[in-house]
Structures are given as structure tokens and as C-alpha cells.
């Protein structure tokens, strides 16, 4: 939905902001949302300016609920430094826009004031998955497996009796227990997925170079629409079928006119199969654990915009957030979730305050 939509309910709204390493995502609980590419590693010093420009597209924002993963960008000496700088730039943005309140979400389920983020940086860092899982656990599936596929990573989060099942909080811990798979539907390089491909009856080594990404394979397979105006690609050329074929052919040392369209599709199939495998292994691991703990059948909840990379367990009932909300909101689901959680918390505090006054 356009952020310029005329929605009277959006007045004095909470805006959820998900600050990633490659993208900025925004959403209100009224389903007004927006996202943009923002490579943190090349322009982190411009973050406040970009936030100001983006937030001005929304009507009457009263409060910000912020979650982040951008602190992992290698422009920062450490994740703690990343949390500190991102916090400072968000605060700068709110001052320039006269936004009344800003809170930062942590993996303990709490919201922190900006002055408390440095001491609690490990909770603030990489917290967006927890915000989405907390929303799903309370509102959609108290027993389920949330699979959220973004452009860079896949989060696989077990939910049992309305609570996040994993004790892992950091990216390192979640990588170790397969709650985080570093494969996404757009930015993952082909050379990180495959060492060799089958091509014309031969076993051909893949060039260890950033010539193409999984996004190109999905474009060639037409599992997502082309966007020729978008040049956020391996070679900064359009995100369309012909350009994707050029990029993919280069992975095996050929030009686009040296492979047929059918061969490009077959190469893409091999890329997608390779991308699906680590995601499938992690889903199988957590689905099996969840089945052991749940008396009732758990639900598989899909979020993000890479659902075609998910191998769905045969016994799973599926809820796709694209149908529960919308495709646009599903793409920015952690931003929407963190706005929902802060608004819910504010309403609870208000209700308690009114109850105390009446009492």
C-alpha cells in the first residue's frame, strides 16, 4: 500500500521501522507500508537523512518502534558500534521531524529508550525476527513454525504455547542451531550456493565471483516480476529476464548468446534447488522438534517474499501472511510487527493507568 494513502486512522500512528543492512522497511498497523534499498555498508553516514526523507512520506507519525539488523554491516568495527551509530542516527531523525517518542525493540521482548541501547546492545542487535515471532505467537499461531524469507536470510522460528521456542538470541547462536539460515531470495550469490553445475553433459565448475545471485535464477524462472528500473543487481544492470540471463551465463564463463533460454532455465533450477536445501534441512529439524512438543498439530506460517524457496512438510497446515495481511505487508512484516507490539504495549499501559485511576 502506498505510504501516501489517505487514511484517517493513520493519524498519530506508530510507525514500525526495520533497519537492515541492505534495506529499510516501514509499516504502520493500518497496513501503510514502504521499503527501499539502502546498502548500509556504503552510506551508513546518510542513514538519518534517508530516514527523514522516508518517514515524511507517512501522515502524522507520533512514535517510532525500531528494530534492526543493520549493525552487522561491515562498515561498523563491531556490532555494538553499529547499534550505537544506528541509534544516534534514529534519534537525530526524530528530533528533526519532532517525533514525540522512539523505542528500540530487544530480543527479550522489551522496548528500550535510546539511552539504554548501548548497555543492552546485544538484545537490540538482530531483533527483528523476535518481534515478528512474538506477533505470530500471540495473534496467529500459538503452536507453529514461522519461516520468514527475506532478500538475504531466512528465519526459522519455532513457537510453542504462545512463546518463542528457541533460547538463541544472537545471530551466532541462531546460525548454530539452524534458526537462522544465511540464504535469501535476492542477494545470495550463486557462487555461495553451488561449486559445480551440470551443463551439456559435463560437470562444470562455477566461477567464484559475484556475477549473479539467486535473484537472477528467480527472474529466469519467472517466480517474481521483472523490474527494469531496479538496478540493484550484481552488475548494476536491470532486474529483467535478458539481463539475468547475461549474469547467470557468466557464472560458467559464457555469454548470454552462447546458452539457450532452456539452458538458462535449467541452470536456474539448479541454483534454486541449491538454495532450498539448507532451508529445507533447518525446517525439517525444527518441525520435528515442534511435533515432539505439541499436543495439537502445529501450523507452518510463511512470511517475506521468497515462499517459493520453502519445501513445505507433507503434514503441515500453512498460513501465508501474504493472504492473512497482504503481499506488501508480508514483505515488511517485522516492521509491521514491531509497530503492533509497541501499540499493544501502549494500549495495555493506558488501560492499567485508567484502571488505577478508577480504583
Amino acid at each position: 500500500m502506498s505510504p501516501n494513502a489517505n487514511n484517517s486512522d493513520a493519524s498519530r500512528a506508530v510507525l514500525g521501522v526495520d533497519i537492515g543492512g541492505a534495506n529499510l522497511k516501514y509499516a504502520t498497523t493500518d497496513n501503510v507500508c514502504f521499503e527501499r534499498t539502502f546498502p548500509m555498508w556504503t552510506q551508513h553516514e546518510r542513514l538519518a537523512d534517508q530516514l527523514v526523507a522516508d518517514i515524511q512520506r507517512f501522515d502524522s507519525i507520533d512514535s517510532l518502534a525500531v528494530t534492526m539488523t543493520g549493525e552487522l554491516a561491515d562498515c561498523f568495527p563491531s556490532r555494538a558500534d553499529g547499534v550505537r551509530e544506528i541509534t544516534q542516527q534514529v534519534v537525530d531523525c526524530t528530533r528533526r521531524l519532532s517525533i514525540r517518542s522512539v523505542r528500540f525493540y530487544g530480543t527479550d521482548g522489551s522496548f528500550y529508550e535510546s539511552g539504554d541501547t548501548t548497555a543492552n546492545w546485544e538484545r537490540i542487535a538482530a531483533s527483528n525476527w523476535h518481534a515478528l515471532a512474538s506477533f505470530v505467537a500471540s495473534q496467529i499461531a500459538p503452536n507453529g513454525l514461522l519461516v520468514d524469507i527475506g532478500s538475504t536470510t531466512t528465519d526459522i522460528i519455532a513457537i510453542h504455547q504462545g512463546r518463542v521456542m528457541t533460547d538463541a538470541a544472537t545471530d551466532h547462536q541462531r546460525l548454530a542451531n539452524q534458526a537462522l539460515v544465511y540464504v535469501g531470495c535476492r542477494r545470495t550469490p550463486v557462487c555461495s550456493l553451488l561449486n559445480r553445475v551440470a551443463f551439456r553433459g559435463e560437470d562444470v565448475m562455477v566461477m567464484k565471483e559475484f556475477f549473479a545471485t539467486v535473484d537472477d535464477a528467480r527472474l529466469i524462472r519467472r517466480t517474481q516480476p521483472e523490474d527494469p528500473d531496479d538496478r540493484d543487481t550484481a552488475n548494476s544492470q536491470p532486474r529483467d529476464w535478458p539481463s539475468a540471463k547475461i549474469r547467470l551465463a557468466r557464472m560458467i564463463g559464457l555469454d548470454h548468446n552462447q546458452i539457450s533460454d532452456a539452458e538458462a532455465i535449467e541452470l536456474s533450477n539448479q541454483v534454486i534447488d541449491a538454495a532450498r536445501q539448507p532451508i529445507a534441512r533447518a525446517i525439517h529439524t525444527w518441525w520435528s522438534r515442534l511435533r515432539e512438543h505439541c499436543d495439537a498439530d502445529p501450523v507452518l506460517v510463511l512470511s517475506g517474499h521468497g515462499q517459493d524457496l520453502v519445501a513445505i512438510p507433507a503434514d503441515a497446515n500453512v498460513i501465508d501472511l501474504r493472504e492473512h495481511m497482504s503481499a506488501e505487508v508480508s514483505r515488511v512484516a517485522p516492521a509491521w510487527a514491531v509497530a503492533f507490539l509497541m501499540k499493544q504495549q501502549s494500549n495495555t499501559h493506558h488501560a492499567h493507568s485508567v484502571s488505577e485511576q478508577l480504583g
Side-chain angles (χ1 to χ4, degrees):
M1 184 179 296
S2 167
N4 291 317
N6 184 11
N7 189 333
S8 59
D9 291 335
S11 62
R12 301 185 66 77
V14 175
L15 177 65
V17 186
D18 183 5
I19 301 176
N23 300 286
L24 301 176
K25 299 178 181 180
Y26 308 85
T28 71
T29 52
D30 302 301
N31 296 348
V32 184
C33 57
F34 170 70
E35 67 173 313
R36 76 156 60 252
T37 299
F38 186 84
M40 186 73 69
W41 60 94
T42 65
Q43 48 188 308
H44 60 96
E45 71 283 351
R46 290 192 54 254
L47 177 59
D49 293 339
Q50 191 62 69
L51 290 171
V52 167
D54 291 346
I55 294 171
Q56 285 178 325
R57 299 166 64 109
F58 293 81
D59 293 331
S60 304
I61 296 303
D62 184 52
S63 304
L64 295 186
V66 180
T67 183
M68 68 177 76
T69 59
E71 77 289 336
L72 191 63
D74 58 9
C75 55
F76 302 123
S78 69
R79 289 174 295 133
D81 289 318
V83 170
R84 183 164 48 252
E85 179 170 335
I86 290 171
T87 298
Q88 289 172 348
Q89 298 226 28
V90 170
V91 170
D92 180 30
C93 161
T94 59
R95 288 172 178 163
R96 289 158 63 179
L97 292 176
S98 299
I99 291 175
R100 177 182 60 85
S101 165
V102 58
R103 301 288 187 276
F104 296 82
Y105 186 81
T107 53
D108 59 350
S110 300
F111 282 94
Y112 290 86
E113 300 275 358
S114 58
D116 297 325
T117 59
T118 296
N120 295 281
W121 72 266
E122 283 194 288
R123 293 188 176 116
I124 305 300
S127 58
N128 64 353
W129 65 275
H130 193 281
L132 179 56
S134 295
F135 161 73
V136 169
S138 66
Q139 303 296 317
I140 296 179
N143 294 290
L145 188 67
L146 169 63
V147 180
D148 180 39
I149 302 187
S151 61
T152 308
T153 62
T154 299
D155 291 304
I156 299 167
I157 308 145
I159 298 166
H160 182 232
Q161 296 181 349
R163 300 178 64 86
V164 175
M165 195 169 162
T166 178
D167 292 328
T170 68
D171 278 349
H172 173 74
Q173 292 167 340
R174 295 198 307 124
L175 284 168
N177 73 6
Q178 297 188 75
L180 172 63
V181 177
Y182 232 84
V183 174
C185 66
R186 179 160 178 176
R187 299 187 63 248
T188 306
V190 168
C191 63
S192 72
L193 296 171
L194 289 165
N195 290 318
R196 313 183 77 86
V197 293
F199 184 75
R200 295 178 185 170
E202 295 184 315
D203 187 32
V204 181
M205 183 177 289
V206 170
M207 290 186 171
K208 299 301 182 184
E209 184 57 78
F210 184 54
F211 285 143
T213 70
V214 67
D215 184 56
D216 295 310
R218 296 179 73 234
L219 284 168
I220 289 172
R221 285 163 51 97
R222 301 191 187 282
T223 53
Q224 63 177 351
E226 298 174 280
D227 185 1
D229 293 331
D230 186 348
R231 290 176 175 255
D232 183 25
T233 61
N235 64 349
S236 300
Q237 295 304 305
R239 290 183 66 235
D240 57 19
W241 207 100
S243 300
K245 184 181 177 184
I246 291 171
R247 290 187 287 267
L248 194 61
R250 194 152 295 165
M251 292 304 310
I252 54 173
L254 295 176
D255 294 325
H256 67 97
N257 58 356
Q258 293 179 296
I259 68 171
S260 68
D261 290 354
E263 287 172 330
I265 293 171
E266 173 52 30
L267 286 173
S268 297
N269 290 341
Q270 294 180 61
V271 172
I272 296 302
D273 286 345
R276 284 176 172 164
Q277 289 174 20
I279 297 172
R281 285 194 295 270
I283 289 175
H284 175 75
T285 296
W286 281 103
W287 188 253
S288 298
R289 292 178 188 173
L290 197 55
R291 296 285 294 182
E292 292 174 1
H293 284 80
C294 291
D295 295 329
D297 290 336
V299 176
L300 187 72
V301 181
L302 300 180
S303 177
H305 54 288
Q307 282 84 339
D308 54 294
L309 298 183
V310 177
I312 296 174
D315 58 345
N317 294 318
V318 178
I319 295 175
D320 192 329
L321 290 189
R322 292 177 300 182
E323 299 169 2
H324 188 83
M325 299 173 171
S326 70
E328 293 82 7
V329 174
S330 179
R331 286 178 66 99
V332 299
W336 191 96
V338 80
F340 171 88
L341 293 172
M342 189 160 116
K343 192 169 185 177
Q344 183 183 56
Q345 186 182 90
S346 297
N347 290 342
T348 300
H349 288 168
H350 176 71
H352 287 166
S353 176
V354 170
S355 177
E356 289 171 0
Q357 291 174 21
L358 293 176

